[in-house]
Amino acid sequence: MPDLTHQKRLRLSPDVRRDALLRAAYDLFSRHGFADTRMDDVAAAAGVSKGTVYLYFPTKEALFAALLRRDVLPRVGRILFVLNHYNGPVGWLLKRVTHFIGGKIDAGTVPLYPKLLVREASRFPELARFYHDEVITPVLEAVEDLFRRAIARGELSAGDPKMYAHLFIAPVVKAALWYFTFGEISAPAVKARPYLKAHVETFLRGVRP
């Protein structure tokens, strides 16, 4: 009897194989986490040989980085475009951003990647460094520049835009960390969306002239 699995592998183009590996890795990382997912499992789930995985991704970290480039960096690019080109009232944008993030947290639909990084960054510092350099730093710099422009327009009091950016981001991070750490065992004392709404209102009262 012909080996149909082998024939199927032969028919797969390189792009199809790569996409199959990424889909399999995403599913396994979602269910088992980064540390407990083996490259052998990714190969089996993708329907390719064990050696094929290493032709495309020499390490599990490289596989995870490829997922970030596929799923996260395009979104980050769109976020950066908005932050870098927005010149309307800064309060409106801050409220929209936190309303969206708070809704994701409350609905339990936060993307996989920050959750994995929070849980496993200390064990896999290369993953944390990649996410820091490619996602966190550019977004924080764009938020800082957003505040710098608002200060120049006289919309916000004179101050350090870097400090403003970190003061604004801190409760957003807290809401996400609470969800990542305790979300599976306990409901939050307050929902993320109203919590972040109150944060923005308090923050704006403190930095407006």
Side-chain angles (χ1 to χ4, degrees):
M1 179 179 294
D3 186 345
L4 297 181
T5 301
H6 178 67
Q7 291 180 8
K8 180 181 178 182
R9 289 172 179 164
L10 290 177
R11 288 196 299 269
L12 293 176
S13 70
D15 287 343
V16 171
R17 283 179 177 168
R18 188 176 190 278
D19 288 343
L21 288 167
L22 291 174
R23 286 195 303 272
Y26 183 91
D27 180 61
L28 291 168
F29 289 151
S30 299
R31 290 190 283 122
H32 305 300
F34 183 81
D36 293 332
T37 295
R38 303 181 308 161
M39 295 290 267
D40 293 7
D41 299 329
V42 175
V48 301
S49 67
K50 176 181 175 181
T52 300
V53 182
Y54 293 98
L55 290 175
Y56 291 87
F57 307 106
T59 65
K60 191 164 56 170
E61 288 80 1
L63 178 56
F64 189 80
L67 279 171
L68 287 175
R69 291 189 179 96
R70 185 194 72 175
D71 296 339
V72 177
L73 295 192
R75 295 177 186 175
V76 171
R78 292 191 290 271
I79 292 169
L80 293 177
F81 181 86
V82 172
L83 291 173
N84 289 329
H85 293 85
Y86 181 79
N87 282 302
V90 70
W92 181 89
L93 184 60
L94 299 183
K95 290 174 183 177
R96 292 286 294 178
V97 168
T98 52
H99 182 82
F100 175 78
I101 295 173
K104 288 284 187 182
I105 294 172
D106 288 339
T109 56
V110 178
L112 165 70
Y113 304 103
K115 183 187 299 186
L116 277 181
L117 286 162
V118 166
R119 291 178 175 177
E120 308 198 52
S122 61
R123 298 174 63 188
F124 303 97
E126 287 302 316
L127 298 184
R129 184 174 294 108
F130 180 87
Y131 199 83
H132 175 271
D133 293 346
E134 299 292 333
V135 178
I136 301 300
T137 296
V139 170
L140 268 176
E141 288 176 348
V143 173
E144 178 184 338
D145 197 52
L146 175 76
F147 287 129
R148 183 177 290 108
R149 298 196 303 274
I151 291 169
R153 292 195 303 269
E155 187 180 352
L156 300 181
S157 299
D160 181 357
K162 181 186 291 291
M163 187 66 70
Y164 282 4
H166 283 267
L167 287 171
F168 168 69
I169 290 293
V172 180
V173 174
K174 178 264 178 186
L177 285 175
W178 189 281
Y179 167 74
F180 295 150
T181 307
F182 305 116
E184 296 179 2
I185 61 171
S186 174
V190 292
K191 291 286 190 179
R193 183 172 275 176
Y195 167 73
L196 293 177
K197 180 176 184 291
H199 157 57
V200 173
E201 292 170 351
T202 304
F203 173 80
L204 290 173
R205 283 198 297 270
V207 297
R208 279 176 173 153

